[in-house]
Amino acid sequence: MVDAGERGTIASAASTRPRRRDARDNRDKVVAAARNRFGTDGLDASLNAIARDAGVSIGTLYNHFPTREELIGEALLEQVRESVRSAEAALRAADPWTGLVEHLTTLASWQARDRGFTDICVRSLPPDSPIEIAKHQGHSLFHQLVTRVRDSGALRADVEVADIGLLLWSAVRATERVREQAPDAWRRHLGILLDGLRSEAAHPLPGPPLDQEILRTAMRFG
């Protein structure tokens, strides 16, 4: 037989579960809305618009994600992890140059259709955040990939990882305004970029590559 105290505990637990479900549902809605809005408007997208898209109040959004950086980290983490898996696949390619081309093409295609992913490639969140840890892993793999291609003789010797990352980003961003009329224009520019990376086409470059600390400072979010 259940006494009055036990009945109160059971009733309290039952009333708590729906609230917890509602909170989880709201959080999932905010993350999905943020992912879509960041994809179209970039990482500076309006948080009010995200809350409106999710069907929640701005207060509810902040309850789950007190800072923009936390929301970005949650919304884009899986896509960054996908880019890490792409780099891993590129390192397994039998031909180093083919692996590099396939990886860069994959990244460019994602950047072309997702402004948020484009932005997160060149902006930094706090170093201890899961998304920044994943980015660090991807960067390390990309370093290995570039070294592997350079050692094969296919990549010009004076090109660094930072050069390739910025060139890829610029090739995609340069075609952003014509994407509605010519959605695949980035492919032509990527082809020109790839030809410029080949060792047999190399001419001396003016100036050194950007210093990594300068890049980190410029990419810091906020």
Side-chain angles (χ1 to χ4, degrees), residues 1-94:
M1 183 174 179
V2 178
D3 62 27
E6 289 175 324
R7 282 197 297 272
T9 301
I10 293 170
S12 175
S15 65
T16 300
R17 281 196 294 271
R19 286 200 296 271
R20 288 176 179 166
R21 272 199 302 273
D22 288 345
R24 284 198 301 271
D25 289 345
N26 284 339
R27 190 179 192 280
D28 291 344
K29 289 175 184 176
V30 169
V31 171
R35 193 176 293 121
N36 289 334
R37 183 66 68 163
F38 289 145
T40 56
D41 297 348
L43 298 186
D44 294 317
S46 163
L47 296 183
N48 282 306
I50 291 171
R52 190 167 56 249
D53 293 347
V56 302
S57 69
I58 189 66
T60 297
L61 183 150
Y62 278 118
N63 282 340
H64 291 288
F65 301 100
T67 67
R68 178 183 293 269
E69 288 84 352
E70 290 177 68
L71 179 56
I72 291 170
E74 182 69 20
L76 274 70
L77 178 58
E78 183 53 35
Q79 195 162 10
V80 171
R81 285 174 172 166
E82 278 191 52
S83 71
V84 172
R85 290 191 283 271
S86 174
E88 289 171 338
L91 278 169
R92 292 194 297 269

Side-chain angles (χ1 to χ4, degrees), residues 131-205:
I131 196 168
E132 208 59 32
I133 292 170
K135 283 177 62 181
H136 179 75
Q137 182 184 2
H139 185 78
S140 177
L141 292 169
F142 189 53
H143 230 292
Q144 295 176 45
L145 178 60
V146 170
T147 299
R148 182 175 183 244
V149 181
R150 186 186 292 116
D151 289 348
S152 76
L155 179 68
R156 55 187 303 160
D158 54 356
V159 166
E160 299 293 336
V161 169
D163 294 319
I164 299 174
L166 286 174
L167 285 168
L168 180 67
W169 176 80
S170 62
V172 176
R173 286 299 299 271
T175 59
E176 190 173 50
R177 292 298 183 93
V178 299
R179 198 153 296 146
E180 190 172 328
Q181 295 79 19
D184 289 331
W186 62 269
R187 293 184 181 276
R188 174 182 174 86
H189 293 264
L190 178 61
I192 296 170
L193 161 64
L194 291 170
D195 275 352
L197 295 177
R198 294 179 184 273
S199 56
E200 65 266 25
H203 292 84
L205 292 172

